[in-house]
Amino acid sequence: QLQASGGGLVQAGDSLRLACATSGRTFSNRAVAWFRQAPGKGQEFVAAYRWSVRDTYYAESVKGRFTISRGNAENTVYLQMNSLKPEDTAVYSCAASQRGVITSAIRRGDSYSYWGQGTLVTVSS
């Protein structure tokens, strides 16, 4: 079970931190990712964290503004979003893989078996 939280309404330039928590199996040896879907658009990869190698991956559109990180325990991942733009407005969902994910597949939605409900981020101009 994944639980995403932290969304809200902010102004352009503001920051938000999203959290993805699991109440079941920990994230150890798995990959955890954030995807988003803007109104009228398809799902878009945002960021991912590979637990075993502690690697992070970002979409070009958020690189330098967003940071994905792990919590102290192995059951939480955060997405720190800075310098938010109106085009970041979307429903953000977190997802976790069943096991490790290779680099070439880290941005693919079908690499992830478990999905949490989305949290809405709205950025006003």
Side-chain angles (χ1 to χ4, degrees):
Q1 302 289 348
L2 301 181
Q3 180 75 33
S5 62
L9 171 63
V10 297
Q11 293 186 328
D14 285 351
S15 299
L16 275 177
R17 188 176 79 157
L18 306 184
C20 178
T22 177
S23 58
R25 182 182 155 212
T26 69
F27 291 138
S28 179
N29 297 316
R30 302 161 77 184
V32 182
W34 288 94
F35 289 81
R36 67 186 182 185
Q37 186 162 17
K41 296 188 177 181
Q43 188 182 74
E44 176 189 19
F45 169 82
V46 177
Y49 182 89
R50 279 203 303 181
W51 216 270
S52 58
V53 295
R54 303 195 177 195
D55 275 356
T56 57
Y57 306 83
Y58 297 96
E60 286 298 320
S61 59
V62 306
K63 197 174 291 185
R65 299 188 297 123
F66 291 11
T67 302
I68 189 170
S69 63
R70 55 184 287 174
N72 290 330
E74 293 183 330
N75 62 352
T76 306
V77 167
Y78 299 102
L79 183 69
Q80 178 67 41
M81 306 186 296
N82 298 331
S83 302
L84 283 162
K85 305 175 181 180
E87 51 263 43
D88 294 318
T89 294
V91 174
Y92 286 71
S93 300
C94 64
S97 64
Q98 174 73 15
R99 55 183 61 85
V101 177
I102 59 175
T103 304
S104 60
I106 202 73
R107 293 173 172 80
R108 289 170 42 181
D110 60 5
S111 295
Y112 302 89
S113 301
Y114 305 95
W115 291 79
Q117 92 295 348
T119 184
L120 177 63
V121 173
T122 304
V123 185
S124 64
S125 57

PDB file of all heavy atoms in Angstrom, residues 35-68:
ATOM      1  N   PHE A  35       5.361   9.923 -10.893  1.00  0.00           N
ATOM      2  CA  PHE A  35       4.828  10.249 -12.199  1.00  0.00           C
ATOM      3  C   PHE A  35       3.778  11.338 -12.014  1.00  0.00           C
ATOM      4  O   PHE A  35       3.256  11.517 -10.919  1.00  0.00           O
ATOM      5  CB  PHE A  35       4.175   9.011 -12.838  1.00  0.00           C
ATOM      6  CG  PHE A  35       5.160   7.957 -13.261  1.00  0.00           C
ATOM      7  CD1 PHE A  35       5.677   7.061 -12.338  1.00  0.00           C
ATOM      8  CD2 PHE A  35       5.571   7.856 -14.582  1.00  0.00           C
ATOM      9  CE1 PHE A  35       6.595   6.088 -12.711  1.00  0.00           C
ATOM     10  CE2 PHE A  35       6.484   6.884 -14.973  1.00  0.00           C
ATOM     11  CZ  PHE A  35       6.992   6.001 -14.030  1.00  0.00           C
ATOM     12  N   ARG A  36       3.477  12.027 -13.070  1.00  0.00           N
ATOM     13  CA  ARG A  36       2.431  13.041 -12.979  1.00  0.00           C
ATOM     14  C   ARG A  36       1.573  13.022 -14.234  1.00  0.00           C
ATOM     15  O   ARG A  36       2.011  12.570 -15.292  1.00  0.00           O
ATOM     16  CB  ARG A  36       3.023  14.428 -12.752  1.00  0.00           C
ATOM     17  CG  ARG A  36       3.829  14.979 -13.930  1.00  0.00           C
ATOM     18  CD  ARG A  36       4.492  16.295 -13.538  1.00  0.00           C
ATOM     19  NE  ARG A  36       5.241  16.881 -14.644  1.00  0.00           N
ATOM     20  CZ  ARG A  36       5.990  17.975 -14.549  1.00  0.00           C
ATOM     21  NH1 ARG A  36       6.106  18.604 -13.392  1.00  0.00           N
ATOM     22  NH2 ARG A  36       6.623  18.449 -15.616  1.00  0.00           N
ATOM     23  N   GLN A  37       0.367  13.499 -14.065  1.00  0.00           N
ATOM     24  CA  GLN A  37      -0.532  13.596 -15.197  1.00  0.00           C
ATOM     25  C   GLN A  37      -1.255  14.923 -15.120  1.00  0.00           C
ATOM     26  O   GLN A  37      -2.019  15.171 -14.162  1.00  0.00           O
ATOM     27  CB  GLN A  37      -1.536  12.451 -15.212  1.00  0.00           C
ATOM     28  CG  GLN A  37      -2.398  12.430 -16.464  1.00  0.00           C
ATOM     29  CD  GLN A  37      -3.064  11.094 -16.695  1.00  0.00           C
ATOM     30  OE1 GLN A  37      -3.157  10.259 -15.794  1.00  0.00           O
ATOM     31  NE2 GLN A  37      -3.520  10.863 -17.916  1.00  0.00           N
ATOM     32  N   ALA A  38      -0.986  15.769 -16.095  1.00  0.00           N
ATOM     33  CA  ALA A  38      -1.634  17.069 -16.171  1.00  0.00           C
ATOM     34  C   ALA A  38      -2.984  16.909 -16.853  1.00  0.00           C
ATOM     35  O   ALA A  38      -3.219  15.952 -17.578  1.00  0.00           O
ATOM     36  CB  ALA A  38      -0.757  18.032 -16.959  1.00  0.00           C
ATOM     37  N   PRO A  39      -3.876  17.852 -16.638  1.00  0.00           N
ATOM     38  CA  PRO A  39      -5.205  17.778 -17.257  1.00  0.00           C
ATOM     39  C   PRO A  39      -5.108  17.648 -18.770  1.00  0.00           C
ATOM     40  O   PRO A  39      -4.417  18.430 -19.428  1.00  0.00           O
ATOM     41  CB  PRO A  39      -5.851  19.102 -16.852  1.00  0.00           C
ATOM     42  CG  PRO A  39      -5.159  19.498 -15.600  1.00  0.00           C
ATOM     43  CD  PRO A  39      -3.747  19.030 -15.755  1.00  0.00           C
ATOM     44  N   GLY A  40      -5.753  16.642 -19.305  1.00  0.00           N
ATOM     45  CA  GLY A  40      -5.790  16.453 -20.736  1.00  0.00           C
ATOM     46  C   GLY A  40      -4.526  15.877 -21.342  1.00  0.00           C
ATOM     47  O   GLY A  40      -4.403  15.804 -22.570  1.00  0.00           O
ATOM     48  N   LYS A  41      -3.575  15.464 -20.500  1.00  0.00           N
ATOM     49  CA  LYS A  41      -2.312  14.932 -21.008  1.00  0.00           C
ATOM     50  C   LYS A  41      -2.075  13.526 -20.471  1.00  0.00           C
ATOM     51  O   LYS A  41      -2.753  13.062 -19.559  1.00  0.00           O
ATOM     52  CB  LYS A  41      -1.152  15.857 -20.614  1.00  0.00           C
ATOM     53  CG  LYS A  41      -1.241  17.237 -21.241  1.00  0.00           C
ATOM     54  CD  LYS A  41       0.020  18.029 -20.988  1.00  0.00           C
ATOM     55  CE  LYS A  41      -0.041  19.389 -21.672  1.00  0.00           C
ATOM     56  NZ  LYS A  41       1.208  20.178 -21.446  1.00  0.00           N
ATOM     57  N   GLY A  42      -1.092  12.872 -21.048  1.00  0.00           N
ATOM     58  CA  GLY A  42      -0.752  11.533 -20.620  1.00  0.00           C
ATOM     59  C   GLY A  42       0.155  11.533 -19.411  1.00  0.00           C
ATOM     60  O   GLY A  42       0.611  12.577 -18.938  1.00  0.00           O
ATOM     61  N   GLN A  43       0.412  10.353 -18.904  1.00  0.00           N
ATOM     62  CA  GLN A  43       1.289  10.212 -17.748  1.00  0.00           C
ATOM     63  C   GLN A  43       2.728  10.532 -18.117  1.00  0.00           C
ATOM     64  O   GLN A  43       3.210  10.152 -19.181  1.00  0.00           O
ATOM     65  CB  GLN A  43       1.185   8.783 -17.229  1.00  0.00           C
ATOM     66  CG  GLN A  43       1.900   8.535 -15.924  1.00  0.00           C
ATOM     67  CD  GLN A  43       1.787   7.075 -15.521  1.00  0.00           C
ATOM     68  OE1 GLN A  43       2.421   6.189 -16.071  1.00  0.00           O
ATOM     69  NE2 GLN A  43       0.929   6.831 -14.544  1.00  0.00           N
ATOM     70  N   GLU A  44       3.413  11.230 -17.214  1.00  0.00           N
ATOM     71  CA  GLU A  44       4.781  11.665 -17.461  1.00  0.00           C
ATOM     72  C   GLU A  44       5.672  11.263 -16.295  1.00  0.00           C
ATOM     73  O   GLU A  44       5.329  11.502 -15.129  1.00  0.00           O
ATOM     74  CB  GLU A  44       4.820  13.192 -17.630  1.00  0.00           C
ATOM     75  CG  GLU A  44       6.207  13.774 -17.808  1.00  0.00           C
ATOM     76  CD  GLU A  44       6.228  15.294 -17.757  1.00  0.00           C
ATOM     77  OE1 GLU A  44       5.265  15.879 -17.242  1.00  0.00           O
ATOM     78  OE2 GLU A  44       7.224  15.889 -18.217  1.00  0.00           O
ATOM     79  N   PHE A  45       6.805  10.669 -16.600  1.00  0.00           N
ATOM     80  CA  PHE A  45       7.793  10.367 -15.579  1.00  0.00           C
ATOM     81  C   PHE A  45       8.362  11.655 -15.009  1.00  0.00           C
ATOM     82  O   PHE A  45       8.641  12.606 -15.754  1.00  0.00           O
ATOM     83  CB  PHE A  45       8.908   9.522 -16.182  1.00  0.00           C
ATOM     84  CG  PHE A  45      10.110   9.377 -15.302  1.00  0.00           C
ATOM     85  CD1 PHE A  45      10.126   8.437 -14.281  1.00  0.00           C
ATOM     86  CD2 PHE A  45      11.226  10.184 -15.475  1.00  0.00           C
ATOM     87  CE1 PHE A  45      11.235   8.302 -13.457  1.00  0.00           C
ATOM     88  CE2 PHE A  45      12.341  10.056 -14.663  1.00  0.00           C
ATOM     89  CZ  PHE A  45      12.337   9.111 -13.652  1.00  0.00           C
ATOM     90  N   VAL A  46       8.542  11.696 -13.697  1.00  0.00           N
ATOM     91  CA  VAL A  46       9.096  12.868 -13.041  1.00  0.00           C
ATOM     92  C   VAL A  46      10.469  12.565 -12.428  1.00  0.00           C
ATOM     93  O   VAL A  46      11.449  13.249 -12.724  1.00  0.00           O
ATOM     94  CB  VAL A  46       8.148  13.390 -11.946  1.00  0.00           C
ATOM     95  CG1 VAL A  46       8.778  14.571 -11.210  1.00  0.00           C
ATOM     96  CG2 VAL A  46       6.807  13.778 -12.531  1.00  0.00           C
ATOM     97  N   ALA A  47      10.527  11.577 -11.569  1.00  0.00           N
ATOM     98  CA  ALA A  47      11.777  11.272 -10.868  1.00  0.00           C
ATOM     99  C   ALA A  47      11.716   9.857 -10.308  1.00  0.00           C
ATOM    100  O   ALA A  47      10.626   9.321 -10.087  1.00  0.00           O
ATOM    101  CB  ALA A  47      12.021  12.260  -9.737  1.00  0.00           C
ATOM    102  N   ALA A  48      12.881   9.276 -10.083  1.00  0.00           N
ATOM    103  CA  ALA A  48      12.943   7.933  -9.515  1.00  0.00           C
ATOM    104  C   ALA A  48      14.173   7.790  -8.638  1.00  0.00           C
ATOM    105  O   ALA A  48      15.169   8.497  -8.813  1.00  0.00           O
ATOM    106  CB  ALA A  48      12.962   6.873 -10.615  1.00  0.00           C
ATOM    107  N   TYR A  49      14.061   6.853  -7.708  1.00  0.00           N
ATOM    108  CA  TYR A  49      15.160   6.552  -6.788  1.00  0.00           C
ATOM    109  C   TYR A  49      15.338   5.045  -6.756  1.00  0.00           C
ATOM    110  O   TYR A  49      14.377   4.318  -6.502  1.00  0.00           O
ATOM    111  CB  TYR A  49      14.830   7.085  -5.393  1.00  0.00           C
ATOM    112  CG  TYR A  49      15.923   6.873  -4.377  1.00  0.00           C
ATOM    113  CD1 TYR A  49      16.916   7.819  -4.200  1.00  0.00           C
ATOM    114  CD2 TYR A  49      15.969   5.716  -3.595  1.00  0.00           C
ATOM    115  CE1 TYR A  49      17.936   7.633  -3.276  1.00  0.00           C
ATOM    116  CE2 TYR A  49      16.978   5.523  -2.668  1.00  0.00           C
ATOM    117  CZ  TYR A  49      17.955   6.483  -2.515  1.00  0.00           C
ATOM    118  OH  TYR A  49      18.957   6.291  -1.606  1.00  0.00           O
ATOM    119  N   ARG A  50      16.572   4.598  -7.011  1.00  0.00           N
ATOM    120  CA  ARG A  50      16.865   3.164  -6.918  1.00  0.00           C
ATOM    121  C   ARG A  50      17.534   2.904  -5.581  1.00  0.00           C
ATOM    122  O   ARG A  50      18.653   3.367  -5.326  1.00  0.00           O
ATOM    123  CB  ARG A  50      17.763   2.705  -8.062  1.00  0.00           C
ATOM    124  CG  ARG A  50      17.025   2.457  -9.336  1.00  0.00           C
ATOM    125  CD  ARG A  50      17.758   1.511 -10.241  1.00  0.00           C
ATOM    126  NE  ARG A  50      19.104   1.970 -10.558  1.00  0.00           N
ATOM    127  CZ  ARG A  50      19.942   1.324 -11.340  1.00  0.00           C
ATOM    128  NH1 ARG A  50      19.584   0.154 -11.852  1.00  0.00           N
ATOM    129  NH2 ARG A  50      21.126   1.795 -11.599  1.00  0.00           N
ATOM    130  N   TRP A  51      16.832   2.169  -4.734  1.00  0.00           N
ATOM    131  CA  TRP A  51      17.256   2.025  -3.358  1.00  0.00           C
ATOM    132  C   TRP A  51      18.611   1.358  -3.209  1.00  0.00           C
ATOM    133  O   TRP A  51      19.449   1.795  -2.423  1.00  0.00           O
ATOM    134  CB  TRP A  51      16.184   1.215  -2.598  1.00  0.00           C
ATOM    135  CG  TRP A  51      16.017   1.677  -1.194  1.00  0.00           C
ATOM    136  CD1 TRP A  51      16.680   1.240  -0.089  1.00  0.00           C
ATOM    137  CD2 TRP A  51      15.131   2.712  -0.747  1.00  0.00           C
ATOM    138  NE1 TRP A  51      16.254   1.939   1.012  1.00  0.00           N
ATOM    139  CE2 TRP A  51      15.310   2.832   0.645  1.00  0.00           C
ATOM    140  CE3 TRP A  51      14.220   3.544  -1.398  1.00  0.00           C
ATOM    141  CZ2 TRP A  51      14.584   3.751   1.390  1.00  0.00           C
ATOM    142  CZ3 TRP A  51      13.498   4.455  -0.651  1.00  0.00           C
ATOM    143  CH2 TRP A  51      13.690   4.542   0.732  1.00  0.00           C
ATOM    144  N   SER A  52      18.844   0.300  -3.976  1.00  0.00           N
ATOM    145  CA  SER A  52      20.051  -0.494  -3.754  1.00  0.00           C
ATOM    146  C   SER A  52      21.315   0.263  -4.113  1.00  0.00           C
ATOM    147  O   SER A  52      22.354   0.095  -3.464  1.00  0.00           O
ATOM    148  CB  SER A  52      19.969  -1.793  -4.572  1.00  0.00           C
ATOM    149  OG  SER A  52      19.824  -1.484  -5.942  1.00  0.00           O
ATOM    150  N   VAL A  53      21.255   1.115  -5.123  1.00  0.00           N
ATOM    151  CA  VAL A  53      22.443   1.831  -5.567  1.00  0.00           C
ATOM    152  C   VAL A  53      22.376   3.313  -5.232  1.00  0.00           C
ATOM    153  O   VAL A  53      23.300   4.061  -5.524  1.00  0.00           O
ATOM    154  CB  VAL A  53      22.672   1.651  -7.085  1.00  0.00           C
ATOM    155  CG1 VAL A  53      22.978   0.192  -7.385  1.00  0.00           C
ATOM    156  CG2 VAL A  53      21.474   2.121  -7.877  1.00  0.00           C
ATOM    157  N   ARG A  54      21.252   3.718  -4.646  1.00  0.00           N
ATOM    158  CA  ARG A  54      21.055   5.113  -4.238  1.00  0.00           C
ATOM    159  C   ARG A  54      21.213   6.078  -5.407  1.00  0.00           C
ATOM    160  O   ARG A  54      21.760   7.170  -5.248  1.00  0.00           O
ATOM    161  CB  ARG A  54      21.989   5.483  -3.090  1.00  0.00           C
ATOM    162  CG  ARG A  54      21.832   4.585  -1.875  1.00  0.00           C
ATOM    163  CD  ARG A  54      22.461   5.150  -0.632  1.00  0.00           C
ATOM    164  NE  ARG A  54      22.216   4.292   0.517  1.00  0.00           N
ATOM    165  CZ  ARG A  54      22.391   4.656   1.777  1.00  0.00           C
ATOM    166  NH1 ARG A  54      22.819   5.862   2.052  1.00  0.00           N
ATOM    167  NH2 ARG A  54      22.166   3.809   2.760  1.00  0.00           N
ATOM    168  N   ASP A  55      20.756   5.676  -6.557  1.00  0.00           N
ATOM    169  CA  ASP A  55      20.789   6.530  -7.738  1.00  0.00           C
ATOM    170  C   ASP A  55      19.471   7.280  -7.890  1.00  0.00           C
ATOM    171  O   ASP A  55      18.406   6.765  -7.529  1.00  0.00           O
ATOM    172  CB  ASP A  55      21.002   5.680  -8.997  1.00  0.00           C
ATOM    173  CG  ASP A  55      22.464   5.409  -9.250  1.00  0.00           C
ATOM    174  OD1 ASP A  55      23.314   5.948  -8.503  1.00  0.00           O
ATOM    175  OD2 ASP A  55      22.774   4.678 -10.200  1.00  0.00           O
ATOM    176  N   THR A  56      19.571   8.480  -8.449  1.00  0.00           N
ATOM    177  CA  THR A  56      18.375   9.262  -8.727  1.00  0.00           C
ATOM    178  C   THR A  56      18.288   9.569 -10.222  1.00  0.00           C
ATOM    179  O   THR A  56      19.315   9.664 -10.910  1.00  0.00           O
ATOM    180  CB  THR A  56      18.392  10.584  -7.942  1.00  0.00           C
ATOM    181  OG1 THR A  56      19.579  11.312  -8.273  1.00  0.00           O
ATOM    182  CG2 THR A  56      18.347  10.343  -6.439  1.00  0.00           C
ATOM    183  N   TYR A  57      17.073   9.730 -10.696  1.00  0.00           N
ATOM    184  CA  TYR A  57      16.813   9.976 -12.111  1.00  0.00           C
ATOM    185  C   TYR A  57      15.715  11.032 -12.214  1.00  0.00           C
ATOM    186  O   TYR A  57      14.773  11.022 -11.408  1.00  0.00           O
ATOM    187  CB  TYR A  57      16.355   8.686 -12.811  1.00  0.00           C
ATOM    188  CG  TYR A  57      17.311   7.545 -12.602  1.00  0.00           C
ATOM    189  CD1 TYR A  57      17.253   6.767 -11.453  1.00  0.00           C
ATOM    190  CD2 TYR A  57      18.291   7.261 -13.537  1.00  0.00           C
ATOM    191  CE1 TYR A  57      18.149   5.732 -11.234  1.00  0.00           C
ATOM    192  CE2 TYR A  57      19.191   6.222 -13.332  1.00  0.00           C
ATOM    193  CZ  TYR A  57      19.115   5.468 -12.176  1.00  0.00           C
ATOM    194  OH  TYR A  57      20.011   4.449 -11.961  1.00  0.00           O
ATOM    195  N   TYR A  58      15.845  11.907 -13.193  1.00  0.00           N
ATOM    196  CA  TYR A  58      14.894  13.005 -13.326  1.00  0.00           C
ATOM    197  C   TYR A  58      14.495  13.216 -14.778  1.00  0.00           C
ATOM    198  O   TYR A  58      15.275  12.988 -15.701  1.00  0.00           O
ATOM    199  CB  TYR A  58      15.506  14.310 -12.803  1.00  0.00           C
ATOM    200  CG  TYR A  58      15.840  14.266 -11.342  1.00  0.00           C
ATOM    201  CD1 TYR A  58      17.118  13.958 -10.900  1.00  0.00           C
ATOM    202  CD2 TYR A  58      14.855  14.530 -10.387  1.00  0.00           C
ATOM    203  CE1 TYR A  58      17.426  13.904  -9.553  1.00  0.00           C
ATOM    204  CE2 TYR A  58      15.162  14.481  -9.030  1.00  0.00           C
ATOM    205  CZ  TYR A  58      16.442  14.161  -8.629  1.00  0.00           C
ATOM    206  OH  TYR A  58      16.732  14.111  -7.291  1.00  0.00           O
ATOM    207  N   ALA A  59      13.284  13.700 -14.959  1.00  0.00           N
ATOM    208  CA  ALA A  59      12.884  14.189 -16.264  1.00  0.00           C
ATOM    209  C   ALA A  59      13.607  15.503 -16.513  1.00  0.00           C
ATOM    210  O   ALA A  59      13.881  16.257 -15.576  1.00  0.00           O
ATOM    211  CB  ALA A  59      11.368  14.405 -16.300  1.00  0.00           C
ATOM    212  N   GLU A  60      13.894  15.774 -17.771  1.00  0.00           N
ATOM    213  CA  GLU A  60      14.598  17.012 -18.099  1.00  0.00           C
ATOM    214  C   GLU A  60      13.822  18.237 -17.641  1.00  0.00           C
ATOM    215  O   GLU A  60      14.410  19.245 -17.252  1.00  0.00           O
ATOM    216  CB  GLU A  60      14.849  17.079 -19.603  1.00  0.00           C
ATOM    217  CG  GLU A  60      15.944  16.146 -20.098  1.00  0.00           C
ATOM    218  CD  GLU A  60      17.300  16.472 -19.489  1.00  0.00           C
ATOM    219  OE1 GLU A  60      17.618  17.667 -19.347  1.00  0.00           O
ATOM    220  OE2 GLU A  60      18.042  15.530 -19.149  1.00  0.00           O
ATOM    221  N   SER A  61      12.523  18.146 -17.665  1.00  0.00           N
ATOM    222  CA  SER A  61      11.685  19.299 -17.328  1.00  0.00           C
ATOM    223  C   SER A  61      11.758  19.684 -15.855  1.00  0.00           C
ATOM    224  O   SER A  61      11.372  20.803 -15.495  1.00  0.00           O
ATOM    225  CB  SER A  61      10.233  19.001 -17.706  1.00  0.00           C
ATOM    226  OG  SER A  61       9.770  17.855 -17.021  1.00  0.00           O
ATOM    227  N   VAL A  62      12.239  18.781 -15.008  1.00  0.00           N
ATOM    228  CA  VAL A  62      12.284  19.088 -13.569  1.00  0.00           C
ATOM    229  C   VAL A  62      13.707  19.081 -13.023  1.00  0.00           C
ATOM    230  O   VAL A  62      13.920  19.445 -11.864  1.00  0.00           O
ATOM    231  CB  VAL A  62      11.417  18.107 -12.754  1.00  0.00           C
ATOM    232  CG1 VAL A  62       9.999  18.063 -13.306  1.00  0.00           C
ATOM    233  CG2 VAL A  62      12.024  16.716 -12.702  1.00  0.00           C
ATOM    234  N   LYS A  63      14.660  18.682 -13.824  1.00  0.00           N
ATOM    235  CA  LYS A  63      16.048  18.583 -13.359  1.00  0.00           C
ATOM    236  C   LYS A  63      16.529  19.938 -12.869  1.00  0.00           C
ATOM    237  O   LYS A  63      16.322  20.964 -13.517  1.00  0.00           O
ATOM    238  CB  LYS A  63      16.931  18.071 -14.489  1.00  0.00           C
ATOM    239  CG  LYS A  63      18.275  17.560 -14.039  1.00  0.00           C
ATOM    240  CD  LYS A  63      19.030  16.929 -15.180  1.00  0.00           C
ATOM    241  CE  LYS A  63      18.400  15.639 -15.646  1.00  0.00           C
ATOM    242  NZ  LYS A  63      19.197  14.957 -16.685  1.00  0.00           N
ATOM    243  N   GLY A  64      17.134  19.946 -11.686  1.00  0.00           N
ATOM    244  CA  GLY A  64      17.619  21.181 -11.098  1.00  0.00           C
ATOM    245  C   GLY A  64      16.598  21.877 -10.213  1.00  0.00           C
ATOM    246  O   GLY A  64      16.946  22.780  -9.449  1.00  0.00           O
ATOM    247  N   ARG A  65      15.338  21.469 -10.324  1.00  0.00           N
ATOM    248  CA  ARG A  65      14.291  22.069  -9.486  1.00  0.00           C
ATOM    249  C   ARG A  65      13.709  21.066  -8.498  1.00  0.00           C
ATOM    250  O   ARG A  65      13.326  21.440  -7.387  1.00  0.00           O
ATOM    251  CB  ARG A  65      13.162  22.607 -10.366  1.00  0.00           C
ATOM    252  CG  ARG A  65      13.585  23.679 -11.340  1.00  0.00           C
ATOM    253  CD  ARG A  65      12.370  24.291 -12.044  1.00  0.00           C
ATOM    254  NE  ARG A  65      11.641  23.309 -12.852  1.00  0.00           N
ATOM    255  CZ  ARG A  65      10.354  23.023 -12.689  1.00  0.00           C
ATOM    256  NH1 ARG A  65       9.647  23.619 -11.742  1.00  0.00           N
ATOM    257  NH2 ARG A  65       9.761  22.133 -13.480  1.00  0.00           N
ATOM    258  N   PHE A  66      13.632  19.826  -8.886  1.00  0.00           N
ATOM    259  CA  PHE A  66      13.050  18.775  -8.046  1.00  0.00           C
ATOM    260  C   PHE A  66      14.160  17.872  -7.527  1.00  0.00           C
ATOM    261  O   PHE A  66      15.142  17.605  -8.215  1.00  0.00           O
ATOM    262  CB  PHE A  66      12.054  17.922  -8.832  1.00  0.00           C
ATOM    263  CG  PHE A  66      10.773  18.603  -9.232  1.00  0.00           C
ATOM    264  CD1 PHE A  66      10.611  19.986  -9.108  1.00  0.00           C
ATOM    265  CD2 PHE A  66       9.721  17.867  -9.736  1.00  0.00           C
ATOM    266  CE1 PHE A  66       9.438  20.613  -9.477  1.00  0.00           C
ATOM    267  CE2 PHE A  66       8.534  18.466 -10.121  1.00  0.00           C
ATOM    268  CZ  PHE A  66       8.400  19.849  -9.988  1.00  0.00           C
ATOM    269  N   THR A  67      13.957  17.364  -6.308  1.00  0.00           N
ATOM    270  CA  THR A  67      14.906  16.421  -5.722  1.00  0.00           C
ATOM    271  C   THR A  67      14.138  15.275  -5.088  1.00  0.00           C
ATOM    272  O   THR A  67      13.249  15.503  -4.258  1.00  0.00           O
ATOM    273  CB  THR A  67      15.764  17.099  -4.642  1.00  0.00           C
ATOM    274  OG1 THR A  67      16.456  18.212  -5.217  1.00  0.00           O
ATOM    275  CG2 THR A  67      16.778  16.113  -4.070  1.00  0.00           C
ATOM    276  N   ILE A  68      14.486  14.059  -5.482  1.00  0.00           N
ATOM    277  CA  ILE A  68      13.887  12.877  -4.868  1.00  0.00           C
ATOM    278  C   ILE A  68      14.869  12.352  -3.838  1.00  0.00           C
ATOM    279  O   ILE A  68      16.080  12.317  -4.067  1.00  0.00           O
ATOM    280  CB  ILE A  68      13.533  11.803  -5.931  1.00  0.00           C
ATOM    281  CG1 ILE A  68      12.711  10.668  -5.298  1.00  0.00           C
ATOM    282  CG2 ILE A  68      14.767  11.284  -6.634  1.00  0.00           C
ATOM    283  CD1 ILE A  68      12.116   9.710  -6.324  1.00  0.00           C
TER     284      ILE A  68
END
